[in-house]
Each structure stands twice: as structure tokens, then as C-alpha cells.
Amino acid sequence: MASYYFLMLFLVGATTASGAVLSTDFYSCSCPNLLPIVKKGVAKALQKEPRMGASLLRLHFHDCFVNGCDASILLDDTSKFIGEQTAAANNQSARGFNVIDEIKASVEKACPRVVSCADILTLAARDSVVYLGGPWWKVGLGRRDSTTASRSDANSNIPGPSLSLTALINNFANHGLSVSDLVALSGGHTIGLAQCKNFRSHIYNDSNVEASYRKSLQGKCPKSGSNLHEPLDHQTPIHFDNLYFKNLISKKALLHSDQELFNGSSTDSLVRKYATNTAAFFQDFAKGMVKLSNIKPLTGSKGQIRITCGKVN
Ligand code: HEM
Ligand SMILES: *[C@@H]1O[C@H](CO)[C@@H](O)[C@H](O)[C@H]1NC(C)=O
Ligand SMILES: *[C@@H]1O[C@H](CO)[C@@H](O)[C@H](O)[C@H]1NC(C)=O
Ligand SMILES: *[C@@H]1O[C@H](CO)[C@@H](O)[C@H](O)[C@H]1NC(C)=O
């Protein structure tokens, strides 16, 4: 009995000592004002441009899907590597870098060289969702920043809008996320915009697009040329709500990949649930975000605390 308890203590201690576990109070001594500083920086940016909330949420997602949440997406190209910013999904599309740089500068002023860019990006994504009316969740902290980045890893890991449901499910499974995580997290498309080139094929080639919605989009996004932005949720693009799921049921998804979640298959029932139950959507979205933001963090003595998010120290 005694040795059993001893073993339990040893295992718990070992997990903590290795630093593998993120914790909400990681900076409570070293940077007690971190949370209000990030929250204020996000509020300032979103007051100026509400869409920035969507951009910050997506930036975090694209960071985490490429070798974990290690702020690799923030690194500019160097002579040693080509970074993630020019990967297919990010080039001329990922945005919010300046906002993170500004928040990082405020954090550095208050607590020099302690807080990682990866943690700042994670907090900024959460605060953006809350600012736009979505759910709040606890953010575990203690991630460290990568010393490298990879365009080719970004190209092979970030899902694109032409994927089938099966391909989307496989992509998320490769990152440890379930089918219900896929559906709930796709609800992130309740905010933000997409470029014409990303939904052109959907509105011209797919059969499952509501007629008046198709017509209106075709008027804005011609078969070739123009690359205007359109809202992913055509009703409330700067409000975090469950209308994205209602849109899927009325065949008014902007992206092919969105409509794949509701086209007569196994995920239809989850879409129906989130479309009728905001609380269930918010709960599952928050749970999914915690799983997303816990993907392969660098902890302990791995990586570094970057001073400037765009470059390795
Ligand atoms: C399921 C697979 C997903 C695919 C195929 C996908 C694809 C896309 C595409 C093509 C865009 C438009 C980019 C552009 O035209 O510049 C976009 C935007 C966006 N995505 Fe996703 N996405 C996925 C999942 C997610 C997840 C899990 C989240 C967050 C939880 C997310 C959040 C966003 C946001 C907020 C925007 C708007 C960004 C802005 O306005 O700056 N997406 N996504
Ligand atoms: C990124 O976009 C720019 C502007 O459209 C283009 O010139 C460049 O070739 C693109 N880079 C990659 C790697 O696709
Ligand atoms: C429709 O699909 C065809 C065949 O895949 C493709 O060549 C064409 O470019 C698509 N049309 C649009 C507008 O994307
Ligand atoms: C949606 O489902 C219908 C009916 O099964 C099918 O004919 C169609 O090809 C599907 N659409 C897309 C874009 O997958």
C-alpha cells in the first residue's frame, strides 16, 4: 500500500517536473498582469477593426496545426529556412502579425523575456472570441517558442477549402482532434472573411448551394479575375454566434469544406445540434479550442522565449 502511494506521488511529480503540462498560473509570479495586458491589446485592435478577431483566431489555428502551438507561424523567412507565412493557406491571407507584435511589446515592457509569443497568440485568440460575443475558456500557459518554421510543413498540414468531409476528418485526426472537434471548431467560420478564389469553385461547380445565395455570390465573384472578400457567415460576420450552422442547413455555406459538414452524412446531426443549441456549440467550441491549443507545445527547456515574435533570438 505504502509503495503504491509512493509510486503515485513519483509519477505526478515526474509529470510536473518535466514541464509537459501547461498551467493557468504559469506566469502568476513572473508576469502577474499578463492577462489584462493581452486583453487590452486585443480590445484596442478589435475596436479599430472587428475582423481582426477572426484573423487572430485563425492565426492561432494555423500555428497549432504546424508542429504544434509554438509561434512558428510568426517567424519571418531567414537564410536558414523558408517560413510559414508564404504557405498556400497563409500567403496574402494570414493577418494579425502586427497586433501580436504590439501586444508582445507591451508584455516585454511589463515583464522582459518571460512570456512566449506562443502563449500571447493563444490568449489573443481566446480574448478575440470573447470580445466578439463567444465563449470564454481557461488558457493553460507555459508554451515556448520554436527556433524554426517550415513552409512545406504548413503546406502539408493546414486543411484547404476543397477538401472532402473524409479528408477533413483525417486531417483533424492527424492532429488529435475528433469529428465533433472538427464540426465545433469549424464554427470559427461564424466570423471573418474569405477571398473569392477560395469559394469560386464552390459557387460555380457544387450542386449544394442555395439558388439566391449562389446568384448573389456569383455577382461578386466572377469565374475569373476579381478576388473580393465575402463573409464566411453572411448574416453576422463580426459576431460569434451559431448562425454559421444555420447557414449550413440552408445550403448557404461560403466554402466547399463548410458545406461538406452538412450534405447528407454522419456530421449532419452535429450541425443540427449546434444550429439549435448555442450553449452546446459554445461548450464544444471551448473544449475544442483547449485541445487545439494544447497540440505539441514546447515546454521546459525546449525552444526559447523570443524577444521579438518575428525572429529567433
Ligand atoms: C476545417 C477546416 C478548415 C478549412 C478548410 C478552413 C479554410 C479557411 C479558408 C479558405 C479561409 C479564407 C481565407 C482567405 O480567403 O483568405 C478561412 C478563414 C478563416 N478561418 Fe478557417 N478553415 C478551417 C478551419 C478553421 C478553424 C478550426 C478555425 C478556428 C477555430 C478557423 C477560423 C477561420 C477564421 C476566423 C477565418 C477568417 C479569417 C479572417 O477574416 O481574417 N478555420 N478558413
Ligand atoms: C505569395 O503571393 C504573392 C502575391 O500574390 C506572389 O507573388 C508569391 O509568388 C506568392 N508566394 C508563394 C510562395 O506562393
Ligand atoms: C469547376 O470544375 C472544373 C473541373 O474540376 C474546373 O476546371 C473549373 O475551374 C471549376 N470552375 C471554377 C469556376 O472553379
Ligand atoms: C452532396 O450530396 C449530394 C447527394 O448525395 C451529392 O450529389 C453531391 O455531390 C454532394 N455535393 C458535394 C459538393 O459533395
Side-chain angles (χ1 to χ4, degrees), residues 202 206-208 256 260 263-264:
H202 178 55
D206 288 351
S207 58
N208 52 1
H256 167 85
E260 280 291 287
N263 193 41

Coordinates of all heavy atoms in Angstrom, one line a residue, residues 202 206-208 256 260 263-264, ligand 4:
H202 N -16.8 26.4 -55.4 CA -18.0 26.0 -54.7 C -19.2 26.6 -55.3 O -20.3 26.0 -55.5 CB -17.9 26.4 -53.2 CG -19.1 26.1 -52.4 ND1 -19.6 24.9 -52.3 CD2 -19.8 26.9 -51.6 CE1 -20.7 24.9 -51.4 NE2 -20.8 26.2 -51.0
D206 N -20.4 23.3 -57.4 CA -21.1 22.4 -56.5 C -22.6 22.5 -56.6 O -23.2 23.6 -56.9 CB -20.8 22.7 -55.0 CG -19.3 22.3 -54.7 OD1 -18.7 21.6 -55.5 OD2 -18.8 22.7 -53.6
S207 N -23.3 21.4 -56.4 CA -24.8 21.4 -56.6 C -25.5 21.9 -55.3 O -26.6 22.3 -55.4 CB -25.3 20.0 -57.0 OG -24.9 19.1 -56.0
N208 N -24.8 21.8 -54.2 CA -25.5 22.0 -52.9 C -25.3 23.5 -52.4 O -24.8 23.7 -51.3 CB -25.0 21.0 -51.8 CG -23.4 21.0 -51.7 OD1 -22.8 21.7 -52.4 ND2 -22.9 20.2 -50.8
H256 N -16.7 25.3 -49.8 CA -17.0 23.9 -50.1 C -16.8 23.1 -48.8 O -17.7 22.2 -48.4 CB -16.1 23.4 -51.2 CG -16.1 21.9 -51.3 ND1 -17.1 21.2 -52.1 CD2 -15.3 20.9 -50.8 CE1 -16.9 19.9 -52.0 NE2 -15.8 19.7 -51.2
E260 N -19.5 20.7 -46.7 CA -19.2 19.2 -46.6 C -19.7 18.7 -45.2 O -20.1 17.6 -45.1 CB -17.7 19.0 -46.7 CG -17.2 18.9 -48.1 CD -17.7 17.7 -48.9 OE1 -17.3 16.6 -48.6 OE2 -18.6 17.9 -49.7
N263 N -24.1 17.6 -45.7 CA -24.5 17.2 -47.0 C -24.9 15.8 -47.0 O -24.5 15.0 -47.9 CB -23.4 17.5 -48.0 CG -23.9 17.4 -49.5 OD1 -25.0 17.9 -49.8 ND2 -23.1 16.7 -50.4
G264 N -25.8 15.4 -46.1 CA -26.3 14.1 -46.1 C -25.4 13.0 -45.5 O -25.5 11.9 -45.9
Ligands
LIG4 C1 -23.8 16.5 -51.7 O1 -24.7 15.4 -51.7 C2 -25.3 15.1 -52.9 C3 -26.3 14.0 -52.6 O2 -25.6 12.9 -52.1 C4 -24.3 14.8 -54.0 O3 -24.9 14.5 -55.2 C5 -23.4 15.9 -54.1 O4 -22.3 15.6 -55.0 C6 -22.8 16.4 -52.8 N1 -22.1 17.6 -53.0 C7 -20.9 17.8 -52.8 C8 -20.3 19.2 -53.1 O5 -20.2 17.0 -52.3

